[in-house]
Amino acid sequence: MGRNNDMVKINGNRVEPGEIEAVCKKVLHLSNCVAKGFEKEGVVALYYTDDREIDAATAKKKLSAHLPYYMIPSYYYQMDSLPQNSLGKVMRSELKLHIQKNQMYVPPRDEFEKKLADAFKSVLAVDEVGIKDDFFQMGGTSLSAIELLTLLEGENISAQLLYEMRTIENLSNYCQKGKQRKTYHSAEPDRVLYGLLRLVGFFVSHFVFHRKILRNEIKNVKTPFIVIANHEAALDFFNLIGLTGRRMIAVMSASYYYTMPFQRLLQKLNFIPKQQFQTEFLDIMKMKTAIDQGFPLVIYPAGIQTSNGISTHISEQTWEFLKLMGADVYVARTEGTYFVKPKWASAYRPGKTTMDVYRLFSKEMLQSQSVEEIGEKALAALEYDAYKEQEKHRWKYKKNTIEGLQNVLYICPQCKQEYTIHLCDPYTLECEHCGFTQTSDEFGMMHNTKEPEREIRLVSDWARVMQAELVKKIKAGFSLTETVVIHTLDKEHHCFRENGKGSICLNQDDLVLKGTLFDRPFELKLASNQLSGLPVQPGKFLEIQHNQDIYRCYLDDRRKTMQFVDLLSLLALQDNRANR
């Protein structure tokens, strides 16, 4: 992989040239190539020495299955040799971007193209757009594409058409020749399957969650809308599904989606699989299509369930997404589902829960408010501390053991030693170093009967003590390394399979996964502050989801699994605050 200092930002997206080079060598069958990103121009160029010419259009199409659009090279230069210094290393500074004549500015030819050009200029905030200019190469993103489609409403240009055509010239030729418009397949969920799913939801919400509805403002809504929900437990969607007679489309984790044995049924329900903590244009396209076709859309902005009862980080891009979608937004806030199925527990513990569904924004309100104002109001509605809520409710849950919680609470709050907390019995945690002991009661609250003055009643408060210790570790400088077994997704058989071994290393700058994968050397390097979190099963594995790939990593010392995740989340949170 390329060195970290070769990394560039292309329209706000982090681009590693080494990753592009590895994909290009494999997909385009090149023996020697170098990728270089040009931040000012917002494009990537590929330089290669193989004795053949690459057709740019064909190459882009092949690479689109392996790289996000912002990492696909726009220009391909065949060279006799690559410039090198005396040590034999490629001198990237000598690699220039040469714009060919047929890629220079070509003005709009008619009123329709002028309208398209004006929309491109407005969204991209540029002074000049030619009909041969590629929307995405000029800085277009998933969200700005939605903004463009909103400006062009009535022109029958779909998200997929924009993604395929990309230039004003292509859009104009396609639309004005009267060709049948290609759109993404119908978003309509299968009526019979959805009826069965609603029946399952009835049993889950009544006999597992014992749900009580506080408000239900989506019951009689006929127009398209978006539901944003907090995410405390794996089956949260089943608590929501029966609250409207409409068939709702849910966005779900790609990791779960592709490992479900009934994946074909999910396809017929038109649920949208999405990599966690990253959003590609095609994801946005599917969500926009659902709204455009009149269906409600359900998303869980946090992306993952909480492990310690405290709500997880939500990307600020979520609020921009809501503003651009052109639909009313409702909040579905649950309380209590965390205790029914904590992420660290192996079994469900039926008990009481509540759900409150109400309108947070009308589409007119979204247009009148800034992204910052939208985010502030949405966070106030979504953020939670499950243990503080439970302290108020005092609901009892069956089989309320805490086996597995030691994988989340891995730092002793008294002596601050790591990995010394162990399970004494199904209800008690003890520190092997200092003897600190906590016992859980029937409500999930913690007690220290030996030394009441040292009691930390709420697990979420214990987690905050740990966070303070991890912040100290970050400030002092740290490097966390562990050997791993790497599993990759086998979509055909709906499971993960062991395909490699290596190590995972995290520090302030990078998360690096390296070793062998499919019997070949492998290395993936990502900027730590660009990853707001990692999907995790405490004490078992963590996942690195990158582009279209998922790497499920089983650490040799499973106790360290959560520390990788917690440190990474804190690094992203600190970076987010620094950029405000």
Side-chain angles (χ1 to χ4, degrees), residues 173-335:
N173 291 342
Y174 185 88
C175 293
Q176 298 199 73
K177 284 182 180 179
K179 293 183 179 179
Q180 184 179 359
R181 307 291 195 266
K182 287 196 295 183
T183 59
Y184 186 75
H185 68 274
S186 172
E188 182 176 8
D190 182 272
R191 188 180 300 274
V192 174
L193 283 177
Y194 199 86
L196 293 173
L197 189 67
R198 188 180 278 122
L199 185 62
V200 174
F202 172 83
F203 282 99
V204 171
S205 62
H206 283 76
F207 299 109
V208 178
F209 286 122
H210 298 279
R211 179 196 65 198
K212 178 182 179 181
I213 301 172
L214 304 181
R215 281 179 288 183
N216 180 14
E217 295 187 0
I218 64 173
K219 183 176 182 179
N220 298 312
V221 178
K222 305 300 182 184
T223 56
F225 58 85
I226 298 172
V227 176
I228 56 175
N230 62 324
H231 200 9
E232 294 190 7
L235 298 181
D236 280 336
F237 180 69
F238 287 103
N239 242 358
L240 178 64
I241 189 172
L243 298 189
T244 174
R246 308 275 300 282
R247 283 169 285 168
M248 297 187 290
I249 295 172
V251 180
M252 65 183 296
S253 160
S255 181
Y256 283 112
Y257 182 92
Y258 291 115
T259 53
M260 292 287 187
F262 41 84
Q263 184 189 134
R264 290 185 179 179
L265 301 183
L266 294 176
Q267 290 174 348
K268 290 185 177 182
L269 289 167
N270 273 319
F271 282 12
I272 301 172
K274 175 186 172 297
Q275 295 281 57
Q276 291 158 279
F277 308 112
Q278 64 182 53
T279 301
E280 298 297 338
F281 179 77
L282 293 180
D283 300 326
I284 297 287
M285 180 189 76
K286 293 174 185 177
M287 289 184 260
K288 177 64 174 172
T289 299
I291 293 296
D292 289 346
Q293 294 185 10
F295 293 97
L297 179 70
V298 180
I299 62 174
Y300 293 87
I304 57 172
Q305 303 162 233
T306 175
S307 296
N308 55 26
I310 304 172
S311 51
T312 54
H313 174 71
I314 299 175
S315 168
E316 292 184 359
Q317 283 190 320
T318 304
W319 322 132
E320 188 176 352
F321 164 79
L322 294 178
K323 186 177 178 69
L324 293 174
M325 289 297 280
D328 293 352
V329 175
Y330 290 79
V331 166
R333 182 182 176 89
T334 61
E335 293 188 6

Side-chain angles (χ1 to χ4, degrees), residues 22-136:
V23 172
C24 287
K25 286 179 180 179
K26 180 179 179 181
V27 175
L28 303 181
H29 307 292
L30 297 174
S31 60
N32 188 24
C33 66
V34 171
K36 181 177 179 180
F38 295 85
E39 295 189 2
K40 182 178 179 181
E41 293 80 2
V43 298
V44 175
L46 187 75
Y47 304 83
Y48 64 98
T49 59
D50 295 61
D51 189 20
R52 60 186 173 87
E53 188 172 337
I54 292 178
D55 177 72
T58 302
K60 291 175 186 178
K61 186 175 182 179
K62 290 180 178 179
L63 293 172
S64 64
H66 304 271
L67 293 169
Y69 65 86
Y70 56 83
M71 292 177 68
I72 296 174
S74 302
Y75 306 104
Y76 300 80
Y77 301 113
Q78 197 278 334
M79 306 179 72
D80 293 333
S81 62
L82 297 171
Q84 297 179 340
N85 61 20
S86 58
L87 299 176
K89 292 188 176 182
V90 174
M91 300 173 64
R92 294 176 186 266
S93 61
E94 298 299 314
L95 299 173
K96 307 299 182 182
L97 185 65
H98 305 288
I99 306 297
Q100 300 169 8
K101 288 184 178 180
N102 64 350
Q103 296 167 322
M104 297 179 69
Y105 174 73
V106 179
R109 299 167 294 187
D110 54 36
E111 287 301 314
F112 180 67
E113 290 185 353
K114 186 176 184 303
K115 182 176 182 178
L116 294 179
D118 288 341
F120 273 46
K121 287 189 288 186
S122 175
V123 170
L124 297 172
V126 296
D127 296 327
E128 185 177 78
V129 176
I131 64 172
K132 294 183 180 292
D133 293 328
D134 187 303
F135 176 78
F136 295 102

